[in-house]
Amino acid sequence: MYDQTRAQQPSDQPPRHPEHRSAAPDAFLPSDERDAVLQRLRQAINTFADTPLQALEEAEGAFDDAAAHLANALAERRRALHESWQDRDPETQAEELRIALRQYREITQRLLRT
């Protein structure tokens, strides 16, 4: 994802690489939001036998919450990424633009795989 430290380095310095980088991409949602939606979904599944219509309504609500959280998270990521390259000095380094392009590609590919 966006490496703010690297992007803020002056162009005359070599890029610093983090010592350890996770192979898994960052989650779109914070863990507390994911956990809350998953808890609602588990509740729906566990109560289906006794109250199927209420369980389906709860599952639908969990889905709606997940979709809303995801839409908000993606809008924020897009805003931050857009700000990283838009309205920059015409002398913006090609590497910074390449990083932004890579991030757009990675996010879009993740969405299409999901």
Side-chain angles (χ1 to χ4, degrees), residues 25-77:
D26 295 335
F28 284 123
L29 302 179
S31 61
D32 59 332
E33 290 178 9
R34 279 193 324 267
D35 292 345
V37 170
L38 289 172
Q39 178 59 36
R40 288 184 68 189
L41 189 57
R42 280 192 292 273
Q43 178 69 20
I45 292 168
N46 291 335
T47 61
F48 180 78
D50 296 328
T51 55
L53 289 177
Q54 291 170 331
L56 287 172
E57 289 172 356
E58 185 66 23
E60 182 179 50
F63 176 86
D64 291 344
D65 283 352
H69 287 305
L70 181 59
N72 291 336
L74 288 170
E76 176 58 27
R77 287 243 178 134

Side-chain angles (χ1 to χ4, degrees), residues 95-107:
E95 183 61 20
E96 290 178 31
L97 299 175
R98 197 172 295 115
I99 289 169
L101 179 60
R102 183 179 334 125
Q103 292 170 354
Y104 279 119
R105 181 193 71 206
E106 290 171 358
I107 291 170

Side-chain angles (χ1 to χ4, degrees), residues 58-91:
E58 185 66 23
E60 182 179 50
F63 176 86
D64 291 344
D65 283 352
H69 287 305
L70 181 59
N72 291 336
L74 288 170
E76 176 58 27
R77 287 243 178 134
R78 184 198 179 283
R79 183 201 58 74
L81 186 52
H82 183 82
E83 287 179 0
S84 75
W85 64 268
Q86 188 64 31
D87 298 328
R88 287 288 180 112
D89 183 323
E91 299 298 316

Side-chain angles (χ1 to χ4, degrees), residues 18-26:
E19 291 182 21
H20 176 70
R21 188 170 172 159
S22 172
D26 295 335

